[in-house]
Each structure stands twice: as structure tokens, then as C-alpha cells.
Amino acid sequence: MITFNEAYQKVLDHPLNLGAETVPLINSLNRILAEDIFADRDFPPFDRATKDGIAIQFSDLVNGGHSFKIEGVAAAGSVQKVLSDNHNCIEVMTGAVVPENCDTVVMYEHITIKNGMVVITEKVNKGQNIHYQGSDEKAGALLLSKGKKISPAEIGVMATVGKATVMVKGNPKVCTIATGNELVEVNKIPEPHQIRKSNMLTIESALLNSKIEASSLHLVDDKTMIKNKLEKALIENDVLLLSGGVSKGKFDFIPEVMESLGVEKVFHKVLQRPGKPFWFGVHPKLKTVIFSFPGNPVSTFANYHLYFLPWLHTSWGISIDKSYIKLSTRITVSQPLTRFIQVNAEERDGEFWATPVVENGSGDLTSLAKADGFICLELRNKEYEVGEVVPFVKTR
């Protein structure tokens, strides 16, 4: 049996080259950028009015001009207007190009208009209320770097530079696999000895956060059927995510069947709780990677976040997020195991504090809805104290 740190590194040592693909911009949300994005022109591309009001030549105001005749109106989206007489002004709308020969914008709230003449009623600073061309970014500037997760903000940036399509990191083809005769469909009423399929639906929905749409498979406790279905799944997918069938029960056939199908076991069983029976392997010819998690809901959920997501980031060639949190209570780890403890995360004065969730073991599915993530604690000869900073894996 190996330690958590050893298992974690062995998982990261088996990434896949997932390549890249080009997708429509709107479909890139939550994908990982696989190209650098540059400004195709200055931002903003012109001197832009930031207030509704009038555009003037500031020198005329300094030289004693107190009222201005309105020459016209500059609307957003119209070509640049030209102020023909510096003693005059042009009404200008937010977003419009500042008229030629104008260098200052005065908002309507600071002027009065009567009979086509404008009187300024407040102090004016030269250049006010103008968003100058290129003041955000110059043409050719790097705006977004490859490896960045695409949020609505990044989509807005890419739309601004005309990226109708974008190159993103490729996603693995994933099959989620539930094992056991006790499982029935979500829309069925289970018998007293049955439960609904919840584990892999939880994982499938978690995969959607990375824009990975997984296929699914249910394996009943029949060795021949398991072998036939797994053989097909290994051929058709890059990754298999299994729940159950890896402990010491008489019907836990997964390790034996994997070996018969030519899958190389990297490790089986880890000094951790929950998830001690975790099995991990790789098919050397097909290159399929197999994560076989224990069947208890909390075990499956914890190991997905602690192992699969870091593996996915490594396969994408991006950094693995590291988070930490302060303990709000003292905790003792008394067994030689790495403990993954469900916690609530509460912000206090700009710092996040972890409070353990009251739960009933790794089979307590409802506890997952109460937690914000897991803290990871190693065995040591003294308690973890209040205020101590510990590793935190977010699940929300």
C-alpha cells in the first residue's frame, strides 16, 4: 500500500497528450485556451467620450470663453465629427468618437443649454471624460495567454478582437462506469435492497464544469459481462472513471478483469481515508487511463477532485491550482492515513476558515451537499491547531 503523495505523483506521471481543437467562440466557455490572443488594433480604437454632454476645445475655455454655440451632435457609432470653430461645441454621446479639434468633454449635468447656446456651470479639467485611444492596450499586445480557463470575460475580450472561433485544449473522451447489481435508474423506485445510480451522475455533472460530456455504463456483477463491456470501453475511450468493484468483496472483479484485458496496474490501495481501495492503471497499447474509485459516494467524489482533476490539468499542460485554508477547530489525525475531511468554508475579514461537516462516513451521500470541499491532513504527532493553514481542495 502506498501513501497519498506517492499515489498522487504516480497519477500525474501518466498524462495524455490531448491536443487541441477549434470551436465556435460561444462554445469555448469553461474550456482551456490553446492559443495566445493579441489585440488586433488599439483599445479603445479611438478617443472615446465616456459621458453624455458636450465636446469643446479646452483652450477656448481658458481664454475666457463662457458660452458655446452647438454645431451638431456626435452619436455613438457615427463617423468622427469636426468642430469647425473652436469657440463652439458639439454635443457628444457616451461611446462616440470625440470630435476633431476637441480635447475635453463636459457632462450634461455640468452645463445649461438655452437657445442653442451652452453655459458651463462647473470647473473643467482638460482632457476629462475621454477614454484615450490605446490607453487600455496597443495593437499587437498580448491580451490572453494560452492555458487560461475561458470565462465570460475572456469571451468578451475575444469577441472584441474578432475571434469568431478559438483554439482550445482537447478534452479526453470519458466513460463513467457504475458497478453493482444494487443500482437502478434514477427514475425507478428501488426495492429495499437497491439504491439509485447517483455516484456517476455526480461525476458526470462535475465533468460538465470542464465542458466534458461523458458517456456512461452500468456493469452488473457478472465477470464475463464486465470483461466484454470493459474491453469495448477501453477501445472507445481515453479515460474510464469507475465507481465500485475494487475492494475485497466476492463480486469485486474489476482488478482481475483489468489484468485479463492487458491493463497495467500502477497501484491498488492508498493510505488515505476515504478512498483506501482506489485502483489506478493504464492500458499500454490503447493508452487508456483508468481511475477505479471505491463505490462509496464520498470516496468517489473526493478521489475525483484529488486525483482526476489534477491529472486532467497535467494532461492539458496547465498548472494545478493549490488552495489553503485556516482551521476553525482543533483536529487530531490518529491513524497512519491521509485524511480528507469535508468542510464548510467561511470568509472572515478576508480570510477563509474551515469547519468540519458533521457526516456519517464515506457512504453519507447527503453530506456532499453540505460541504465546500476537503481539507487534506497527514498523520503527525501533534494536533492541528485552530488558525493553522492546511491544504484545501474546493468542490464548489
Side-chain angles (χ1 to χ4, degrees):
M1 197 177 307
I2 63 176
T3 67
F4 163 66
N5 289 329
E6 289 171 330
Y8 181 83
Q9 188 56 53
K10 285 180 181 292
V11 168
L12 298 190
D13 286 342
H14 292 83
L16 289 178
N17 181 0
L18 299 174
E21 63 175 322
T22 300
V23 299
L25 178 59
I26 194 61
N27 293 342
S28 69
L29 182 66
N30 289 336
R31 298 292 297 269
I32 304 299
L33 193 59
E35 63 174 313
D36 292 330
I37 304 298
F38 298 91
D40 64 333
R41 56 179 180 164
D42 289 343
F43 285 94
F46 50 81
D47 291 345
R48 172 182 172 273
T50 63
K51 301 288 185 182
D52 296 325
I54 60 167
I56 64 171
Q57 171 58 251
F58 183 78
S59 61
D60 190 68
L61 185 67
V62 172
N63 291 330
H66 297 288
S67 61
F68 301 83
K69 179 182 177 182
I70 298 173
E71 285 190 5
V73 178
S78 64
V79 298
Q80 186 181 35
K81 300 286 186 180
V82 178
L83 183 67
S84 60
D85 186 334
N86 288 350
H87 298 301
N88 296 341
C89 68
I90 293 178
E91 288 187 81
V92 64
M93 304 299 112
T94 300
V97 182
V98 175
E100 187 178 337
N101 300 325
C102 295
D103 59 12
T104 302
V105 172
V106 185
M107 60 197 298
Y108 278 129
E109 290 83 350
H110 293 168
I111 64 175
T112 60
I113 301 177
K114 186 175 182 180
N115 298 325
M117 299 295 293
V118 174
V119 175
I120 297 174
T121 59
E122 300 287 340
K123 181 182 177 181
V124 176
N125 295 312
K126 183 179 181 180
Q128 69 182 29
N129 301 323
I130 296 176
H131 192 184
Y132 285 98
Q133 178 175 342
S135 59
D136 294 343
E137 298 287 354
K138 297 293 186 181
L142 176 64
L143 303 181
L144 303 172
S145 297
K146 64 180 70 174
K148 189 174 184 63
K149 187 173 183 179
I150 299 171
S151 74
E154 282 73 39
I155 286 181
V157 170
M158 289 187 283
T160 300
V161 301
K163 292 290 294 183
T165 60
V166 60
M167 188 178 296
V168 296
K169 300 281 187 177
N171 278 339
K173 189 174 183 182
V174 178
C175 182
T176 64
I177 302 174
T179 66
N181 291 342
E182 73 275 17
L183 302 177
V184 298
E185 298 296 333
V186 174
N187 62 348
K188 301 295 184 183
I189 297 176
E191 299 292 336
H193 59 283
Q194 296 176 320
I195 58 175
R196 293 185 176 95
K197 297 177 185 176
S198 59
N199 267 9
M200 301 322 291
L201 278 177
T202 302
I203 298 307
E204 286 175 44
S205 60
L207 286 165
L208 289 175
N209 288 330
S210 300
K211 292 297 281 288
I212 298 173
E213 295 186 9
S215 59
S216 62
L217 188 62
H218 177 204
L219 303 179
V220 297
D221 295 326
D222 178 279
K223 190 185 297 185
T224 301
M225 185 177 295
I226 289 174
K227 182 175 181 179
N228 291 337
K229 289 191 174 182
L230 281 182
E231 184 174 25
K232 187 171 185 289
L234 285 167
I235 294 170
E236 294 178 347
N237 295 278
D238 301 310
V239 179
L240 303 185
L241 296 178
L242 292 90
S243 176
V246 290
S247 297
K248 291 185 177 181
K250 291 184 179 295
F251 300 100
D252 290 333
F253 300 126
I254 297 302
E256 179 185 348
V257 171
M258 287 295 183
E259 183 179 0
S260 72
L261 292 171
V263 177
E264 290 185 356
K265 178 185 74 175
V266 177
F267 61 80
H268 185 196
K269 297 183 181 178
V270 184
L271 287 165
Q272 62 183 31
R273 178 180 293 173
K276 188 175 179 181
F278 175 32
W279 187 101
F280 178 76
V282 178
H283 196 293
K285 292 183 179 179
L286 299 173
K287 307 301 181 185
T288 310
V289 179
I290 301 96
F291 295 79
S292 198
F293 303 134
N296 284 325
V298 178
S299 296
T300 298
F301 196 63
N303 283 273
Y304 171 87
H305 286 87
L306 288 156
Y307 290 101
F308 173 76
L309 285 183
W311 173 89
L312 183 62
H313 284 197
T314 301
S315 295
W316 280 333
I318 64 175
S319 62
I320 298 169
D321 294 334
K322 301 276 188 181
S323 295
Y324 297 88
I325 197 167
K326 287 188 171 183
L327 294 179
S328 64
T329 185
R330 299 177 76 185
I331 299 177
T332 300
V333 178
S334 57
Q335 294 180 311
L337 301 165
T338 300
R339 291 289 313 279
F340 310 134
I341 300 172
Q342 295 188 85
V343 295
N344 294 128
E346 179 186 3
E347 185 178 4
R348 304 177 200 161
D349 299 324
E351 296 181 317
F352 283 91
W353 294 77
T355 302
V357 169
V358 177
E359 42 100 347
N360 194 29
S362 60
D364 184 0
L365 173 64
T366 60
S367 66
L368 295 175
K370 304 172 186 176
D372 297 309
F374 295 87
I375 54 173
C376 305
L377 305 182
E378 303 287 349
L379 173 69
R380 69 183 196 185
N381 57 13
K382 63 178 182 178
E383 287 187 320
Y384 286 86
E385 300 290 343
V386 173
E388 189 166 346
V389 177
V390 298
F392 176 56
V393 176
K394 293 181 284 187
T395 58
R396 290 185 183 272

